[in-house]
Amino acid sequence: MSTIGFIGLGMMGQPMAHLLHAAGHALVVRDANVSAAQGFVQAHAGAVMGQDAAAFAACDVVITMLPNSDIVDAVVKELAPSLKQGACVIEMSSADPTRTRALAERLAAQGLGLIDAPVSGGVKKAVAGTLAIMVGGEPALYEAHKSVLQTMGQAITHVGPVGAGHALKALNNYVSAAALIATAEAIHVGAAFGIDKAVIVDVINASTGKNNTTENKAHQYMLNAAFNSGFSLALQAKDVGIAASLGQAVNHPMPLAQVVSGMTGDASEKLGNKADHTELYAYVGQQAR
């Protein structure tokens, strides 16, 4: 078994790290919320706190599960001089693919590897170890660390060169956000016309408009105003923004993505950093008033 550093014990990171511990890996953990790392160590025999960069010196792999590229770059820059030659960073955050490529180049110059392996599936699949994981990087590095990824995910796909995983994750989240907004608009308009909201969702699920939102979010988190799916609106807005910027960078302006990015960004600003992404449903309803 490997010695693995795991940085970022949030709603997704904690269950992912738990699965690695259960599989027998030695863990060195860190989180900006020190109490989260302390709680994890107390609950997982043998896991240790990575209080400084030197604590990660024995790690074969360092997994980062962090909010954005700024934080990823800062954390990896701190750790890199202490990592042993041949160690690999597995970057599992939702990050900017162009910055991921630049980071990989810097690490390669120091004798370190990087694959990007962002995830999809939410907290429920993180707990179950059935996440979808899209991997970018050298095929040999992917193969060398595939078993680690298999501990946390089920649908694991090597999608291309380094950065490709982050690019596809952002594009996936753009499609997901667009479908959520379209679903919310349909529900609100149908209800205004006099159709029961639950009936709207059920009929769409039996028809060609069926999507992840209608199947897994509308009844569960939106119509009941629970808004607690576990994925933040701020992170969704960030990912859609990355997708829209990527389109411009490759000369495909993605006009619909620009609209969705504007809506998710405005909703996040108005609803606050703690808002769940399913609160877009409420935001869409308020726009009509």
Side-chain angles (χ1 to χ4, degrees):
M1 291 294 155
S2 303
T3 299
I4 297 176
F6 200 105
I7 303 175
L9 297 170
M11 294 183 70
M12 295 289 289
Q14 194 279 335
M16 292 164 66
H18 169 78
L19 291 173
L20 291 168
H21 179 270
H25 295 287
L27 292 184
V28 182
V29 300
R30 178 192 286 187
D31 193 272
N33 179 358
V34 175
S35 63
Q38 290 174 334
F40 186 91
V41 168
Q42 290 169 2
H44 296 81
V48 299
M49 290 268 291
Q51 296 180 328
D52 55 30
F56 294 86
C59 292
D60 306 293
V61 170
V62 174
I63 294 174
T64 49
M65 191 67 178
L66 299 166
N68 56 53
S69 288
D70 287 342
I71 298 173
V72 171
D73 284 351
V75 167
V76 174
K77 181 179 180 180
E78 176 201 354
L79 296 187
S82 297
L83 297 180
K84 62 185 181 182
Q85 290 290 293
C88 182
V89 174
I90 302 181
E91 215 301 273
M92 304 190 78
S93 318
S94 294
D96 184 327
T98 58
R99 293 182 63 174
T100 299
R101 285 187 170 176
L103 178 60
E105 290 175 2
R106 294 195 297 271
L107 290 178
Q110 299 175 62
L112 303 171
L114 182 144
I115 58 176
D116 51 305
V119 304
S120 181
V123 174
K124 184 177 180 180
K125 289 194 174 183
V127 171
T130 58
L131 290 165
I133 304 177
M134 49 215 84
V135 185
E138 292 294 330
L141 271 180
Y142 164 63
E143 291 295 337
H145 300 290
K146 187 175 180 179
S147 63
V148 172
L149 299 174
Q150 288 173 327
T151 303
M152 299 174 285
Q154 194 170 66
I156 303 169
T157 307
H158 182 252
V159 299
V162 68
H166 282 151
L168 190 49
K169 171 63 183 293
L171 293 168
N172 173 75
N173 282 8
Y174 152 60
V175 173
S176 177
L180 193 155
I181 290 170
T183 299
E185 289 179 339
I187 293 171
H188 286 298
V189 170
F193 194 73
I195 307 171
D196 182 86
K197 293 179 179 180
V199 171
I200 295 170
V201 174
D202 291 342
V203 170
I204 292 175
N205 276 331
S207 307
T208 57
K210 179 173 66 173
N211 60 72
N212 182 259
T213 295
T214 60
E215 289 189 297
N216 300 310
K217 300 175 187 177
H219 285 304
Q220 297 88 335
Y221 307 113
M222 292 160 51
L223 298 189
N224 60 6
F227 304 136
N228 59 353
S229 74
F231 180 56
S232 78
L233 177 56
L235 288 178
Q236 183 186 59
K238 179 204 70 176
D239 290 349
V240 176
I242 290 172
S245 296
L246 182 62
Q248 292 179 323
V250 297
N251 296 317
H252 287 274
M254 298 172 70
L256 180 58
Q258 302 300 326
V259 173
V260 175
S261 180
M263 291 182 71
T264 55
D266 184 62
S268 179
E269 182 177 340
K270 290 179 177 175
L271 297 176
N273 288 333
K274 294 184 179 180
D276 189 87
H277 81 290
T278 55
E279 289 188 62
L280 267 174
Y281 171 73
Y283 169 85
V284 169
Q286 292 166 359
Q287 297 306 104
R289 297 173 186 171

